[in-house]
Amino acid sequence: MKIYVCVKQVPDTSGKVAVNEDGTLNRASMDTITNPDDLNAMEAALQLKDATGCKVIAVSMGPPPAEGMLRQLIAMGADEAILISGREFGGSDTFATSQIIAAAINHVGLDEEDIVFCGRQAIDGDTAQVGPQIADKLEIPQVTYVADIKKDGKDVVVKRMLEDGYMTIKVKTPCLLTCIKELNTPRYMSVSGIMECYSKPLTILDFDALKDEPLIELDTIGLKGSPTNIYKSFTPPQKGVGVMLEGDGKETAEALAATLAAKHII
Ligand SMILES: Cc1cc2nc3c(=O)[nH]c(=O)nc-3n(C[C@H](O)[C@H](O)[C@H](O)COP(=O)(O)OP(=O)(O)OC[C@H]3O[C@@H](n4cnc5c(N)ncnc54)[C@H](O)[C@@H]3O)c2cc1C
């Protein structure tokens, strides 16, 4: 059994956020971190590894410096890492990104009991599309918003978070699960992990390595092959300060009704 954990390196938005004139993030001037939900996904995979002895593989698509992040994930406990990196992949939208990651997983091999973990969403792109799209391309079942995971024979039983409760789902493997922060608290890198992280395998898959995979076509990856393009991005204007209504329930209800009536909303 193998677990692939898809991990994205993202700009650290807790510090100073630099924005270019065209409204895009100035990524070069910002520090990078591992996408937070992906650390929860990695922790979930490592807990399954502790329980079953399975192999955990961290997978990232990004520029060469993402290798540093992958080494940290190995120091956390991953057995190996894959960095999908190449000029042909640059500028990919979520459709192309998921196509390339799915092709890389196919390339390494997806067996009957394997699981693909993703975070729910990345804090920069924020679409939450990549996980479900990888599952679609791999033609495997998916469960999103996973808040608890248990192995049950060849299946997995997961608790899926809903707005007002939870849903328990038994899902056949191979499958893809997207993880939320309520799932666990990610562990730190261990000292022995840090000592060994450069002796464990990190494979770089470039376009040449993946070009024979069925999902990889030059006209469906990268900027040129992406069906969506960022037309414009901007910071929305700040909303005005709200009006605080004071008094007991009856008084505030009457004041609210009068305010809405004055604005012709009711
Ligand atoms: C130079 C550049 C140009 C871009 N141009 C476009 C464009 O023209 N049109 C457009 O729509 N978008 C564009 N993007 C954004 C790009 O589509 C997203 O960064 C990417 O597809 C991931 O989407 P997301 O951040 O919304 O991830 P989400 O869907 O929110 O991520 C969910 C989960 O998927 C996994 N995941 C996501 N990305 C990766 C990754 N790279 N490696 C491993 N796992 C991952 C992680 O587990 C993550 O938690 C561009 C990005 C860059 C850097």
Side-chain angles (χ1 to χ4, degrees):
M1 173 183 165
K2 299 188 290 306
I3 302 182
Y4 293 96
V5 185
C6 298
V7 187
K8 185 179 183 190
Q9 192 174 45
V10 293
D12 182 1
T13 48
S14 67
K16 198 168 158 243
V17 176
V19 179
N20 297 317
E21 274 180 16
D22 62 0
T24 57
L25 274 183
N26 184 343
R27 291 168 188 266
S29 70
M30 293 168 69
D31 290 337
T32 55
I33 55 168
T34 306
N35 183 53
D37 283 353
D38 304 354
L39 288 174
N40 297 104
M42 177 54 74
E43 176 60 33
L46 294 176
Q47 287 180 12
L48 278 177
K49 176 183 166 180
D50 294 341
T52 66
C54 66
K55 186 191 232 187
V56 174
I57 306 172
V59 182
S60 190
M61 181 172 111
E67 178 176 344
M69 173 192 72
L70 289 170
R71 291 284 176 204
Q72 288 177 7
L73 295 165
I74 293 175
M76 251 177 101
D79 297 285
E80 57 182 272
I82 295 168
L83 176 60
I84 310 159
S85 198
R87 294 168 74 88
E88 296 84 350
F89 305 136
S92 292
D93 66 359
T94 62
F95 182 87
T97 300
S98 51
Q99 187 133 302
I100 297 161
I101 295 174
I105 291 172
N106 253 337
H107 181 78
V108 182
L110 190 67
D111 298 320
E112 199 192 336
E113 285 198 56
D114 292 351
I115 306 175
V116 181
F117 278 123
C118 286
R120 176 191 54 167
Q121 75 191 84
I123 59 167
D124 57 347
D126 238 3
T127 65
Q129 291 173 355
V130 171
Q133 287 184 148
I134 295 174
D136 182 57
K137 316 271 187 226
L138 291 172
E139 298 182 3
I140 57 174
Q142 56 170 295
V143 183
T144 53
Y145 290 80
V146 168
D148 189 43
I149 303 163
K150 288 199 173 51
K151 192 91 175 70
D152 179 10
K154 284 189 174 178
D155 303 331
V156 236
V157 176
V158 299
K159 205 164 94 175
R160 178 172 195 263
M161 197 173 81
L162 304 172
E163 211 169 312
D164 52 358
Y166 291 98
M167 181 191 263
T168 302
I169 303 172
K170 192 174 199 175
V171 57
K172 287 200 180 311
T173 55
C175 62
L176 183 143
L177 310 175
T178 78
C179 304
I180 57 174
K181 67 174 189 308
E182 287 78 0
L183 179 59
N184 54 41
T185 305
R187 67 189 70 184
Y188 291 109
M189 294 178 274
S190 67
V191 175
S192 60
I194 294 169
M195 306 277 283
E196 288 167 11
C197 71
Y198 278 88
S199 56
K200 294 206 174 153
L202 188 150
T203 309
I204 296 181
L205 295 179
D206 60 9
F207 176 73
D208 275 347
L210 294 178
K211 67 177 190 303
D212 294 331
E213 286 298 319
L215 291 169
I216 297 285
E217 302 286 345
L218 266 181
D219 55 359
T220 57
I221 60 164
L223 194 57
K224 260 174 54 191
S226 291
T228 52
N229 281 298
I230 298 168
Y231 165 66
K232 183 181 172 188
S233 77
F234 61 93
T235 310
Q238 287 212 330
K239 288 186 181 159
V241 283
V243 177
M244 292 299 291
L245 300 174
E246 289 181 4
D248 62 19
K250 187 167 180 295
E251 285 165 354
T252 49
E254 282 170 1
L256 178 61
T259 308
L260 295 177
K263 291 179 183 287
H264 305 291
I265 296 171
I266 56 172

